[in-house]
Structures are given as structure tokens and as C-alpha cells.
Amino acid sequence: MTHVEDLAGPNGLLLRHYRPCEQARPLMVFAHGGAFVLGDLDTHDRTCRRIADACDVEVLAVDYRRSPEYRHPIAIEDVAAVLRWARPFAVAGDSAGGYLATMACLRLRDAGDVLPAVQVLICPNTDLTLSQPSIAEKGSGYTLDADFLTWAISQWTPDPADRTLGSPLLVADLRGMPDALIVTAEHDALRDEGNAYGQRLAHAGVRVIHREEPGLAHGFIQDMDLTSPAAAAAHDRLFDDIKTLIHR
């Protein structure tokens, strides 16, 4: 990277800014995964660098506040605050970060604020009730365990009522949301809710590019390219799609 800088954002949030060259590029805000309880700027540093380099974009990573110390909806408010502050072209996230990215967009839409043009959701959590079939089908023996996910969501939303109200898949009206790139994985417990969310966005008139990557598991975006040719190829497809959406 030509430029990597840690800085303070709104409300003192820690941010990390990546720029792949001297010239300004379109800005993407990135929210890391980690089931609402794990992850930080360092866990996703390589991922953010690769996105910035491969997609010719600036990336602004957000160290949002995590549960159990900070519960729903604090992390959504953190990401929404950064979107209002930075006015990025795109917002992205993996897993819980994908959830936060799209929920922050819903917050901005409902408040009448300026939205990013694009949302990039990688293996996103969209149904906090964990009601989709892939939770049981793929929730054991792969990279994301359903028991851990149940525990993590209970830390994020101790009140079960918040799991329905706080699920993007269950939002009544998804009209007016940004164009979406949604990538899910065949062997991911979150596969079905990500697929269903893409369908709901499309039915609401949102432009959606959706792909379910065969043979891959949850978290494939996180360094799996180093050991899996299939994951490396999926990364390349993801980067190509991001470039198409941002540099159109």
C-alpha cells in the first residue's frame, strides 16, 4: 500500500485507511466479521489490503464496538456514523460485518441520509433468529459452528425480540437500498439467509449480483486463498465484481 494510516473517526472510533496509490480512489468502508464478539483492525488487515490493491479502491476499516460490552444496536450505530462521516462510494463487510454494513444502510435510508451506492456482503448474517435450514445443515463440521453462533448472537442481542427487529432479512420494506453484491458459500451455516436476503432485495427493486460459491465454507475471504485454489479463484471473482460495480 502507498498509504496506510490509523486515525480517529466519529465518536473516537478507531479507523484504518488504506490507499493503493498516490491518486485518490473511490472509498469503501469495511466492517470486519467476528460474530459481533471477535475481530478488529488487525484480524482483517490483509483482507483490506488485498481489496484495496485488487479493486483499485481506498478502504476505510472500522473498529466498531463489540459485545458483550456493547450490545445491539451499538455496532450498527458505529458503522452508520462512519458512513455519514466518510460519505463512501461503497460499504462492505464479511459475516457479522456484512450484517452491520447492510443494517447501517437501512439506518441511513430510514433517516433520509445519503447512502453509499454499493453494498458488498460476504457470507452475511441476515437472520438473527437463526431460522434458515442451512443453520442445521451446515452448522457442524464446517468453519462456523451453530452452537457458537447461537451463543454469540445471545451476547449481541440478549433480548430475543431484538433478533427479529434487528434482522435485515425480516425488514418489511427493502426498497431504496444500495446496489448489492452478495457472495455466499455452499458449506456455510449462513448460506440460506444470505441467499434469501439477495432474493428479497431483488424483489424490492434493488440491483443485486449474487453468487453462491461451490465447495467453500464460511470465512473463505479470510486468508483461505493461501491454502485453497478454489478460495483463491473465489477471491478473484469477488474482486472482479467489486471493480465492475465501483468503476462502472
Side-chain angles (χ1 to χ4, degrees):
M1 291 291 99
T2 294
H3 170 94
V4 179
E5 179 185 10
D6 289 350
L7 54 107
N11 305 316
L13 288 169
L14 296 179
L15 309 174
R16 185 168 293 166
H17 182 212
Y18 305 82
R19 194 170 66 225
C21 59
E22 293 291 348
Q23 295 77 22
R25 289 292 185 261
L27 179 64
M28 169 188 285
V29 165
F30 186 88
H32 65 78
F36 308 104
V37 298
L38 301 170
D40 55 26
L41 297 179
D42 291 333
T43 60
H44 285 63
D45 182 74
R46 179 176 182 267
T47 297
C48 289
R49 288 171 183 266
R50 295 190 73 229
I51 291 172
D53 179 60
C55 303
D56 193 29
V57 295
E58 298 181 31
V59 174
L60 187 65
V62 184
D63 191 24
Y64 56 83
R65 290 171 287 179
R66 292 170 292 283
S67 58
E69 292 81 4
Y70 300 98
R71 302 185 188 274
H72 177 276
I74 295 298
I76 299 169
E77 294 172 352
D78 287 348
V79 176
V82 173
L83 295 183
R84 292 187 179 100
W85 180 75
R87 296 289 184 92
F89 186 85
V91 60
D94 68 309
S95 192
Y99 166 93
L100 295 173
T102 200
M103 285 297 292
C105 287
L106 283 164
R107 285 293 178 94
L108 266 61
R109 183 204 65 172
D110 292 347
D113 292 330
V114 176
L115 283 164
V118 173
Q119 53 180 325
V120 178
L121 313 179
I122 308 163
C123 296
N125 188 183
T126 68
D127 183 0
L128 299 181
T129 70
L130 301 180
S131 300
Q132 303 303 310
S134 59
I135 295 293
E137 179 188 346
K138 301 294 182 179
S140 179
Y142 298 97
T143 56
L144 183 61
D145 185 82
D147 289 341
F148 166 73
L149 187 59
T150 300
W151 173 83
I153 287 178
S154 74
Q155 303 305 302
W156 166 243
T157 50
D159 184 349
D162 288 336
R163 297 172 201 165
T164 299
L165 295 174
S167 293
L169 180 61
L170 305 180
V171 170
D173 184 2
L174 294 173
R175 289 176 294 179
M177 288 287 279
D179 292 351
L181 168 59
I182 301 177
V183 180
T184 57
E186 179 185 4
H187 299 306
D188 182 7
L190 302 183
R191 178 197 65 204
D192 290 349
E193 60 196 74
N195 293 348
Y197 189 54
Q199 293 169 359
R200 284 216 55 220
L201 285 171
H203 290 158
V206 177
R207 181 190 178 197
V208 177
I209 298 173
H210 169 249
R211 179 173 57 259
E212 181 184 311
E213 289 290 356
L216 295 181
H218 187 82
F220 73 85
I221 191 61
Q222 274 293 92
D223 300 333
M224 287 189 189
D225 61 296
L226 297 173
T227 56
S228 166
H235 287 198
D236 290 340
R237 287 189 286 272
L238 172 66
F239 298 154
D240 286 343
D241 284 340
I242 291 173
K243 285 189 289 187
T244 296
L245 283 169
I246 291 181
H247 298 289
R248 55 192 171 183

